[in-house]
Amino acid sequence: MPGRTFRSPEDFNTQLADWLPIANSQVVRRIDGRPIDLISVDTAAMLPLPPVPPQTAACSQIRLPRDYYVRVHGSDYSLDPSAIEHMVDVAADLRRVAVTREGRVLAEHDRRWSRGLTVTDPLHVESAARLREQFQNPTPTADDANQLVRDLGDYDRAFGVEFRCTTACNKEEVQYVFVRRAY
């Protein structure tokens, strides 16, 4: 395999199928024979396959970063940005990459076999733009109008702080005076 490149699992299997007859017909010193002659012996020693196929997907759990992409085997895949800063489950098999959060599918992409690629779903970009707009321009709600706003002078009085300024002072010359009060 060194020096070869593969575009997909199918391309790998095609190249392997072309190479195996050549490799298996050569004598191998370690096994003292040709692999093609010993296949029947090896097949007879094999156990049957299990009734349930084994899990072949690579699974992991990560906290989604602020850029709403997850890296799987050297490539980045986008997902719904509503899950930023939450734990997500990533599952990658030979054909697809799926990301879920609490059972909800956030993204499904075809697996890319080259490294360094960025796979972006346009719906994820639209969702990110919408969330960014909401963050930058929050709409006031009825709850915001009902919240009390406290005078900051109340805190100054509670901690015994007075601000004195002479008639000729500017903003840099404000004196902070701490007044000790008897309670």
Side-chain angles (χ1 to χ4, degrees), residues 11-148:
D11 183 38
F12 173 81
N13 287 332
T14 302
Q15 290 187 35
L16 182 65
D18 293 341
W19 176 77
L20 277 177
I22 298 167
N24 286 339
S25 62
Q26 297 175 355
V27 175
V28 178
R29 269 189 295 161
R30 197 167 121 219
I31 60 174
D32 194 30
R34 298 182 327 158
I36 201 163
D37 299 332
L38 301 173
I39 288 177
S40 59
V41 174
D42 196 27
T43 304
M46 288 184 183
L47 297 173
L49 291 174
V52 178
Q55 178 182 350
T56 57
C59 298
S60 63
Q61 188 177 50
I62 64 163
R63 184 174 304 279
L64 184 63
R66 304 221 28 87
D67 67 353
Y68 64 90
Y69 283 82
V70 293
R71 177 157 291 171
V72 177
H73 300 295
S75 291
D76 295 331
Y77 298 87
S78 71
L79 59 136
D80 190 346
S82 64
I84 288 176
E85 298 296 325
H86 290 95
M87 296 300 287
V88 294
D89 298 310
V90 182
D93 60 16
L94 296 177
R95 300 207 183 322
R96 69 181 186 105
V97 173
V99 182
T100 59
R101 177 175 171 250
E102 297 174 352
R104 181 177 154 240
V105 176
L106 300 174
E108 279 189 317
H109 295 282
D110 290 337
R111 169 105 181 258
R112 306 297 178 173
W113 287 90
S114 298
R115 290 183 173 273
L117 297 179
T118 302
V119 181
T120 304
D121 186 338
L123 294 175
H124 299 155
V125 175
E126 290 175 17
S127 179
R130 191 171 48 255
L131 290 171
R132 195 175 301 112
E133 178 71 25
Q134 288 173 358
F135 177 75
Q136 291 172 348
N137 301 318
T139 55
T141 63
D143 293 337
D144 294 340
N146 294 334
Q147 290 189 5
L148 298 175

